[in-house]
Amino acid sequence: MGMMAADVGPALFNTPLEAGLRAVIILEAFEPAQFDIATISLLDYFLVHTADAGGPESIHPDISARGGEYFVRRHLIEQGVALMMRSSLIEQIPTASGILFHTHEAAAAMLDLLSTDYNRKLVAAANWLATQARDRGEATFLRDLRSKIDRWSQEMIGGRAR
């Protein structure tokens, strides 16, 4: 006899749906900014690991191979953003320098419907990141986050993952 549907919850962790919702949360917090996939991926890592950016306690636990986690999630973010575009929550903006993304006007209303503790923590973390970017200057803040990822990547390549 197989398991009953009530025995197993839906698999949402590390899915395009979860990654897409995090992308919406990030873009909404940084509104009216528009970001490319690389920047959304960078902010997505630090959304759940705010302590690594000098912020409040991280939502997800720390892992030793931080750079690896960042690079693994890039494809998932691409899938999630595509899903949110099909759901009319994220819009794509073609520019001379590449494709950028921002939230659709329906995104804020949809986020208001997400009332779990986890989602409230994600929104708070995204707002913290956006405040830091505004206070420190967006370009400087993003450069500092990228340098952390680069340092962890070099540690992994050098065989010194901590």
Side-chain angles (χ1 to χ4, degrees), residues 71 150-161:
F71 290 109
D150 291 344
R151 186 185 75 238
W152 296 326
S153 298
Q154 289 302 316
E155 289 173 359
M156 286 178 55
I157 291 169
R160 300 180 322 220

Side-chain angles (χ1 to χ4, degrees), residues 27-153:
L27 290 169
E28 189 62 23
F30 279 83
E31 182 69 30
Q34 302 170 350
F35 295 129
D36 60 15
I37 289 291
T39 303
I40 295 170
S41 297
L42 178 73
L43 290 168
D44 181 67
Y45 173 84
F46 287 101
L47 176 68
V48 296
H49 294 291
T50 48
D52 285 348
E57 182 180 347
S58 296
I59 297 169
H60 289 186
D62 292 337
I63 65 166
S64 59
R66 287 172 168 84
E69 180 182 350
Y70 166 74
F71 290 109
V72 166
R73 68 175 60 219
R74 165 100 185 218
H75 182 67
L76 192 59
I77 295 298
E78 290 172 348
Q79 292 175 328
V81 166
L83 177 61
M84 294 299 110
M85 286 174 49
R86 288 191 303 273
S87 301
S88 298
L89 295 172
I90 290 180
E91 295 178 330
Q92 172 177 292
I93 310 294
T95 70
S97 60
I99 303 293
L100 300 178
F101 301 91
H102 72 98
T103 54
H104 184 274
E105 61 189 30
M110 192 278 305
L111 290 178
D112 286 343
L113 298 174
L114 301 176
S115 60
T116 66
D117 187 45
Y118 179 74
N119 286 325
R120 284 191 299 273
K121 287 179 182 179
L122 288 175
V123 169
N127 288 332
W128 180 84
L129 289 168
T131 298
Q132 294 301 304
R134 282 189 287 277
D135 291 351
R136 295 172 49 194
E138 187 176 289
T140 299
F141 181 67
L142 293 173
R143 186 191 68 235
D144 290 348
L145 295 181
R146 283 187 186 98
S147 71
K148 290 177 185 298
I149 296 291
D150 291 344
R151 186 185 75 238
W152 296 326
S153 298

